[in-house]
């Protein structure tokens, strides 16, 4: 009797859950846009939390390093963490003070100087248009039509632009508030990170009953942490160095808007591969209308700086933190930029590096289980693997058969050898003539 009642309860519960899942699925389909809007609103509300957690994660290596040094002097772990968090907060406060008191006024001065140069830029544009008109009046007419369309669009959307500026100002005020809230979140996250780590592991082992699988997940998480910490922290340091080098070199070259251009180049350098060029394009266009020759010098300078950063500075700081080849780096940037935009271009490389690590580990574990080699180079010249798991590689005979299978290539090669031999015989006869 008990077994019958138990089966009935299980059957009723299963039917109930299936109906509830069907109703929930229908509700999601019916109100999908409202649900997405609500999720986005919740995400926007939690921006200070995400920002604080991100800051806590970025400064975590610095805090850990400081804690180790303080513990060497017999300072208690709790006190060491408090001191390092205080040092980080003071450092952030000093950085914000320098930005507000030093960089912002100079940036405002640079922007005002740029606005005062607008008449000169307009005269330069008119000079270019006159040259285009002398060269080809048809092209001149097309350019004028494009300019008229752009001016008409600006006049039509002036009110929208004013509203956007107002919203940007309000966003700046909210952003300042979010920064202070995120600093509070940073403090709480750093002071409670050991508890969070312990709770995460406890939850993992409570859900995952297979100890091997839980340990495997922990290894993947540790690898992801190494990827993100090494890459993002390294890119921030690399971008600061690039921005400083750009400021010093452009100051020596006596270019205009040095601080503005250096800030743009330094910030966009956080984006791998494409960052320097993304920042260089608007700066080059700006210099083109102010000083065309400086624009050309700036383009050459950015190319040289990008090569120095990519081959000297970047490898020294980042090393092989992700384990990805250049092809997969570009692939990950393109894919994640399409998904998450600018944020995806920054975090796409460590995310893809973690996925690459998971797939690589699964493949290598399966190959090891089959007693096959795990090194990719062992499969470059592989012909096949027989039923006894014996690796059969391509031999010289196989390579010859492969060459013979290309008659056109073989014929061209034989014809070239024949022409070369005849030409040498001709030179010998001519040399032997009296």
């Amino acid at each position: 009797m008990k077994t019958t009642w138990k089966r009935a309860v299980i059957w009723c519960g299963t039917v109930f859950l299936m109906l509830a899942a069907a109703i929930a699925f229908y509700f999601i389909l019916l109100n999908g846009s409202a649900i997405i809007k609500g999720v986005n609103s919740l995400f926007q509300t939690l921006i200070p939390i995400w920002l604080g957690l991100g800051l806590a994660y970025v400064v975590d290596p610095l805090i850990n390093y400081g804690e180790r040094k303080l513990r060497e002097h017999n300072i208690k772990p709790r006190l060491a963490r408090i001191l390092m968090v205080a040092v980080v907060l003071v450092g952030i406060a000093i950085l914000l003070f320098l930005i507000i008191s030093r960089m912002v006024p100079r940036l405002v001065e640079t922007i005002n100087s740029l606005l005062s140069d607008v008449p000169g830029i307009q005269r330069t544009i008119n000079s270019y248009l006159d040259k285009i008109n002398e060269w080809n009046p048809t092209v001149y007419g097309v350019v004028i039509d494009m300019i008229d369309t752009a001016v008409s669009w600006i006049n039509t959307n002036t009110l929208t632009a004013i509203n956007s500026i107002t919203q940007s100002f309000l966003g700046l005020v909210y952003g300042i508030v979010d920064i202070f809230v995120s600093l509070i979140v940073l403090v709480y996250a750093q002071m409670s990170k050991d508890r969070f780590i312990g709770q995460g592991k406890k939850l993992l082992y409570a859900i995952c009953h297979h100890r091997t699988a839980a340990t495997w997940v922990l290894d993947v998480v540790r690898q992801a942490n190494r990827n993100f910490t090494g890459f993002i922290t390294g890119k921030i340091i690399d971008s600061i160095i690039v921005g400083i080098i750009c400021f010093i070199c452009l100051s020596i070259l006596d270019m205009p808007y040095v601080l503005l251009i250096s800030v743009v180049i330094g910030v966009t350098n956080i984006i791998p591969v494409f960052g320097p060029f993304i920042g260089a394009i608007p700066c080059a266009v700006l210099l083109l209308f102010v000083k065309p020759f400086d624009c050309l010098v700036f383009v050459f300078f950015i190319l040289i700086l990008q090569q120095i950063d990519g081959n000297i500075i970047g490898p020294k700081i980042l090393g092989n933190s992700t384990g990805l080849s250049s092809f997969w780096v570009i692939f990950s940037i393109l894919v994640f930029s399409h998904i998450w935009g600018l944020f995806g271009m920054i975090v796409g490389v460590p995310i893809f590096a973690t996925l690459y690590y998971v797939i690589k580990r699964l493949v290598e574990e399966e190959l090891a289980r089959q007693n096959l080699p795990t090194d990719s180079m062992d499969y470059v010249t592989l012909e096949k693997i027989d039923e006894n798991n014996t690796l059969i590689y391509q031999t010289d005979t196989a390579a010859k058969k492969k060459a013979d299978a290309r008659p056109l290539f073989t014929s061209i090669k034989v014809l070239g050898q024949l022409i070369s031999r005849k030409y040498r015989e001709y030179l010998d006869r001519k040399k032997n003539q009296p």
Side-chain angles (χ1 to χ4, degrees):
M1 182 65 69
K2 290 183 178 180
T3 304
T4 304
W5 274 105
K6 187 177 180 180
R7 290 179 178 177
V9 170
I10 293 175
W11 186 85
C12 292
T14 304
V15 172
F16 174 76
L17 291 176
M18 291 178 63
L19 291 175
I23 294 172
F25 183 71
Y26 176 75
F27 178 79
I28 292 173
L29 290 179
L30 192 64
N31 303 279
S33 59
I35 293 174
I36 294 175
K37 185 177 180 180
V39 171
N40 290 333
S41 177
L42 178 62
F43 185 82
Q44 293 291 330
T45 304
L46 296 177
I47 281 181
I49 305 294
W50 307 129
L51 182 59
L53 293 176
L55 287 174
Y57 186 79
V58 169
V59 302
D60 188 64
L62 177 63
I63 292 178
N64 290 336
Y65 175 79
E67 285 183 23
R68 290 194 299 270
K69 292 299 181 181
L70 291 175
R71 289 175 186 176
E72 292 176 358
H73 295 82
N74 298 323
I75 296 179
K76 295 182 179 180
R78 183 74 176 178
L79 180 59
R81 180 163 301 177
I82 293 174
L83 290 176
M84 285 307 304
V85 170
V87 169
V88 168
L89 288 178
V90 171
I92 294 175
I94 293 174
L95 180 62
L96 292 175
F97 174 77
L98 292 176
I99 292 175
I100 294 174
S101 63
R102 300 286 182 178
M103 293 186 66
V104 170
R106 293 193 64 179
L107 286 174
V108 172
E109 181 182 350
T110 302
I111 294 173
N112 290 332
S113 175
L114 176 62
L115 293 176
S116 64
D117 289 339
V118 169
I121 295 174
Q122 186 176 1
R123 288 193 296 270
T124 303
I125 295 174
N126 291 332
S127 175
Y128 287 156
L129 291 176
D130 292 338
K131 292 180 180 179
I132 292 174
N133 188 23
E134 294 176 359
W135 171 63
N136 193 324
T138 304
V139 176
Y140 173 79
V142 174
V143 174
I144 291 296
D145 291 339
M146 293 173 62
I147 294 175
D148 292 339
T149 303
V151 171
S152 177
W153 182 85
I154 292 173
N155 294 331
T156 305
N157 296 274
T158 301
L159 183 61
T160 304
I162 294 174
N163 292 333
S164 299
I165 294 173
T166 305
Q167 292 295 327
S168 299
F169 179 76
L170 293 176
L172 178 62
V173 175
Y174 291 139
I176 295 173
V177 176
D178 289 343
I179 289 175
F180 283 104
V181 175
S182 64
L183 292 178
I184 297 174
V185 174
L186 182 152
V187 174
Y188 281 106
Q190 279 295 329
M191 298 305 299
S192 304
K193 67 178 180 181
D194 292 337
R195 180 176 293 275
F196 291 155
I197 293 173
Q199 289 174 345
K201 293 180 180 179
K202 182 173 69 174
L203 178 63
L204 174 64
Y205 280 100
I207 295 175
C208 191
H209 297 284
H210 297 283
R211 299 295 179 257
T212 304
T215 304
W216 192 89
V217 172
L218 283 179
D219 290 340
V220 172
V221 172
R222 292 190 185 98
Q223 180 64 33
N225 178 57
R226 286 191 291 268
N227 290 338
F228 276 88
T229 303
F231 183 79
I232 294 179
T233 305
K235 284 302 295 182
I236 291 175
I237 297 173
D238 177 54
S239 299
I240 293 173
I241 294 174
V242 168
I244 293 174
I245 293 175
C246 184
F247 179 80
I248 295 174
C249 294
L250 294 185
S251 299
I252 295 174
L253 294 172
D254 194 24
M255 288 194 178
Y257 318 121
V258 173
L259 182 61
L260 178 63
I261 293 175
S262 301
V263 171
V264 172
I265 295 298
V267 172
T268 55
N269 191 72
I270 297 177
I271 302 173
V273 183
F274 303 106
F277 302 105
I278 293 175
I281 290 174
C283 297
V285 173
L286 174 62
L287 291 174
L288 177 64
F289 292 115
V290 178
K291 292 183 178 180
F293 180 75
D294 285 351
C295 172
L296 183 62
V297 175
F298 173 74
V299 170
F300 279 108
F301 167 73
I302 289 298
L303 291 175
I304 296 173
L305 180 61
Q306 196 273 338
Q307 292 298 318
I308 294 175
D309 178 44
N311 296 291
I312 300 176
I313 301 176
K316 291 291 184 182
I317 297 175
L318 296 173
N320 193 18
S321 58
T322 59
L324 296 178
S325 64
S326 301
F327 171 81
W328 291 119
V329 169
I330 296 175
F331 176 83
S332 60
I333 293 172
L334 294 176
V335 171
F336 284 94
S337 64
H338 181 73
I339 299 174
W340 290 329
L342 183 62
F343 178 74
M345 297 182 75
I346 298 174
V347 301
V349 174
I351 290 176
F352 187 83
T354 304
L355 296 175
Y356 185 89
Y357 170 79
V358 172
I359 297 173
K360 178 182 177 183
R361 182 165 176 176
L362 289 173
V363 171
E364 290 183 351
E365 287 178 354
E366 179 61 25
L367 290 173
R369 189 183 64 81
Q370 299 180 30
N371 295 322
L372 294 173
T374 58
D375 190 357
S376 300
M377 299 307 295
D378 291 333
Y379 295 87
V380 173
T381 59
L382 180 67
E383 182 74 25
K384 64 178 180 178
I385 300 177
D386 62 12
E387 291 78 4
N388 297 322
N389 274 355
T390 302
L391 279 68
I392 301 174
Y393 294 94
Q394 294 176 349
T395 60
D396 294 337
T397 304
K400 185 176 182 302
K401 291 181 179 179
K402 186 176 181 181
D404 292 339
R406 295 179 294 175
L408 178 60
F409 176 78
T410 305
S411 301
I412 295 175
K413 183 178 179 181
V414 172
L415 180 60
Q417 293 174 350
L418 178 61
I419 294 174
S420 177
R421 187 173 67 254
K422 292 296 184 182
Y423 181 71
R424 286 197 302 269
E425 292 175 356
Y426 168 75
L427 292 178
D428 292 338
R429 287 197 305 269
K430 188 174 181 180
K431 188 177 181 180
N432 295 327
Q433 287 179 357

